Amino acid sequence: MSPYELFIGLRYTRAKKRNHFISFISLISLMGITLGMTALITVMSVMNGFQKEVRTRILGVASHVQIGSVHGNLSHWQQTAEEAAKHPAVEAAAPFVHAQGMLSHNQVVQGVIVRGILPAMEDKVANFSHSMVSGALDNLAPGEFGIVIGMELARMMGTFVGDKIVLISPQGQVTPAGILPRLKQFTVVGIFDVGHFEYDSGLVLIHMFDAQKLYRMENDDVSGVRLKLTDLFQAPRVVQELPAMLTIDSHISDWTKQHANYFRAIQIEKRMLSLILALIIAVAAFNIVSTLVMAVTDKESDIAILRTLGASPRSIMKIFIVQGTFIGVFGTVLGVAGGMLLAYNVGEVVAFIESLFNVQFLSREIYYISKIPTDPQMADITTVAVTSFVLSLLATIYPSYRASKVNPAEALRYE
């Protein structure tokens, strides 16, 4: 590209003496690209933040990888845990007993998932210790029948640390009066709040030995072994490699399958919002077409003079490509800057709006994520910037081609 083509193209982007409307349309196109990119980068960052926040809360309770036996209960779990720990991606392992039950307190009955754990080992694969709001996980001791419940469950049943609560097992026992459910009184020794309603309202923790007694399991039998990985995104690969390292017929699953619906829903929502907001950039790019078409019509005499001075049709095309590309590049740069600035400070912006209008967008009573999370990723920002630039470049092709076809004789006939 010759210097004069670049010079004339940049000069045409400035204010016009004869037709200021073209400059106004150019400004609107630039602002459209800027606002579209700012909105798109911010929304994608917030969706990434929500996905990361949900994943963190779920995996603070659930396991990265879970090993069970295809024959029911898993025997000799110590051997399975040792074999799995030999995998370089496995950071820790812990046994668990998984069962269903019902809690009864003050004439309130609630169905729950019962998880029998070894507190010292469970703390290595989950984050319950960091989520305790009352009591401690270490208060679970074998034979003392202590229980740790979620905050929402404690609120619904009106229980506090130290209260007695009855756990009802669905496994019945035969008596002269018939088959009766197994009942056991537990003492609440802790309350946790992981920030996820499903777990806070429906999960209880007891000591693994107490769970084995309540559900009539052998002392060496458990439901499975939970694994924590050094990199949670390697879970699918680890699931494929573990069977060759285990001596039992195992059923292995990972968090991407256990909670696929949560993350699939967030991913679909992110894609649809991105597609919708990308249309703003597309509309702004189409505005570039109208801007350049009007500029070509306004500058027909200038184009004709350039042609008579020896400028080739290719040079004329380059002049208007420069004009349209400048609008696209400048709008892209402003959009990236504005998007990153807003994405990294969206929490403060939302908090300011909430305090200014005395409203709360994410009420804790309704939503379990009460603050706007954000996680700007360079891959998303780069994709948005490249897409904007390509659309802007494509928008210059037709007007530039039309400019190159201007007939000098026709354009200068009435000059």
Side-chain angles (χ1 to χ4, degrees):
M1 184 172 293
S2 302
Y4 88 90
E5 298 163 351
L6 184 63
F7 171 77
I8 297 176
L10 293 177
R11 184 179 179 182
Y12 279 178
T13 61
R14 298 196 296 268
K16 312 297 188 298
K17 293 182 178 180
R18 290 183 296 177
N19 197 340
H20 294 281
F21 182 70
I22 298 177
S23 298
F24 176 74
I25 297 299
S26 300
L27 180 62
I28 294 298
S29 302
L30 188 148
M31 291 178 60
I33 294 175
T34 301
L35 293 177
M37 290 193 61
T38 300
L40 184 54
I41 291 174
T42 303
V43 168
M44 294 179 72
S45 300
V46 171
M47 294 303 299
N48 291 334
F50 271 108
Q51 185 176 23
K52 182 178 180 180
E53 186 72 17
V54 171
R55 182 174 63 240
T56 300
R57 296 191 179 194
I58 289 179
L59 296 184
V61 179
S63 56
H64 294 173
V65 176
Q66 183 171 299
I67 303 175
S69 174
V70 295
H71 304 295
N73 293 334
L74 177 65
S75 301
H76 308 292
W77 65 266
Q78 296 90 341
Q79 179 182 352
T80 302
E82 291 174 358
E83 292 172 348
K86 294 180 181 179
H87 194 287
V90 176
E91 182 177 334
F96 72 98
V97 173
H98 180 87
Q100 295 181 348
M102 294 180 64
L103 286 184
S104 176
H105 178 72
N106 290 338
Q107 299 182 349
V108 178
V109 179
Q110 181 71 28
V112 294
I113 297 297
V114 180
R115 181 185 296 175
I117 63 171
L118 296 177
M121 300 186 70
E122 183 71 13
D123 202 33
K124 297 179 181 178
V125 299
N127 297 327
F128 283 110
S129 295
H130 299 87
S131 304
M132 301 299 295
V133 296
S134 182
L137 195 65
D138 294 335
N139 292 340
L140 293 176
E144 296 185 3
F145 293 97
I147 188 171
V148 176
I149 65 177
M151 173 68 77
E152 292 297 325
L153 183 60
R155 182 185 60 81
M156 289 187 292
M157 305 196 71
T159 57
F160 302 91
V161 172
D163 289 349
K164 301 295 182 179
I165 194 168
V166 177
L167 177 58
I168 306 171
S169 167
Q171 296 178 351
Q173 56 184 357
V174 180
T175 67
I179 300 178
L180 299 177
R182 293 171 58 83
L183 308 176
K184 185 61 183 179
Q185 188 178 66
F186 284 76
T187 302
V188 179
V189 297
I191 298 175
F192 63 82
D193 181 12
V194 298
H196 195 281
F197 182 78
E198 180 181 350
Y199 296 117
D200 289 337
S201 64
L203 177 66
V204 299
L205 307 176
I206 63 177
H207 199 280
M208 190 178 75
F209 294 147
D210 296 340
Q212 290 171 335
K213 292 179 181 179
L214 181 63
Y215 292 95
R216 294 179 175 179
M217 299 174 64
E218 297 294 334
N219 292 336
D220 200 35
D221 286 357
V222 296
S223 299
V225 174
R226 289 151 44 85
L227 305 179
K228 182 178 181 180
L229 308 181
T230 53
D231 183 3
L232 62 92
F233 295 105
Q234 295 297 322
R237 179 180 63 84
V238 174
V239 168
Q240 295 179 353
E241 297 174 354
L242 275 179
M245 305 176 64
L246 303 178
T247 57
I248 64 169
D249 294 331
S250 59
H251 172 71
I252 308 175
S253 60
D254 63 88
W255 66 272
T256 62
K257 296 179 181 178
Q258 296 168 354
H259 307 281
N261 290 338
Y262 282 105
F263 304 112
R264 188 179 296 116
I266 294 176
Q267 190 66 25
I268 292 174
E269 186 174 359
K270 175 184 174 181
R271 290 177 179 175
M272 293 307 299
L273 285 174
S274 300
L275 179 61
I276 293 172
L277 291 175
L279 295 177
I280 299 177
I281 301 177
V283 170
F286 281 117
N287 283 340
I288 295 178
V289 176
S290 60
T291 300
L292 293 183
V293 168
M294 287 189 293
V296 169
T297 303
D298 186 59
K299 295 293 184 180
E300 281 189 350
S301 59
D302 296 354
I303 296 171
I305 293 173
L306 288 173
R307 289 294 308 279
T308 58
L309 293 176
S312 65
R314 184 181 297 270
S315 296
I316 301 300
M317 283 190 65
K318 291 179 180 180
I319 289 173
F320 288 93
I321 288 177
V322 167
Q323 182 180 358
T325 303
F326 176 81
I327 297 173
V329 170
F330 195 49
T332 299
V333 171
L334 291 179
V336 169
M340 294 182 66
L341 182 64
L342 185 57
Y344 280 105
N345 298 279
V346 65
E348 290 75 8
V349 173
V350 171
F352 173 76
I353 295 175
E354 289 179 340
S355 62
L356 183 63
F357 295 99
N358 195 24
V359 296
Q360 188 173 7
F361 296 118
L362 296 178
S363 175
R364 185 169 179 81
E365 288 76 15
I366 302 175
Y367 305 99
Y368 292 91
I369 299 178
S370 57
K371 295 183 179 180
I372 301 293
T374 180
D375 182 26
Q377 297 182 2
M378 290 307 301
D380 292 337
I381 296 174
T382 301
T383 301
V384 173
V386 171
T387 302
S388 174
F389 175 76
V390 171
L391 288 176
S392 302
L393 188 61
L394 292 176
T396 65
I397 294 178
Y398 170 73
S400 302
Y401 175 77
R402 180 176 173 178
S404 67
K405 295 301 180 180
V406 171
N407 189 332
E410 291 292 333
L412 296 176
R413 174 176 297 180
Y414 302 105
E415 292 293 332

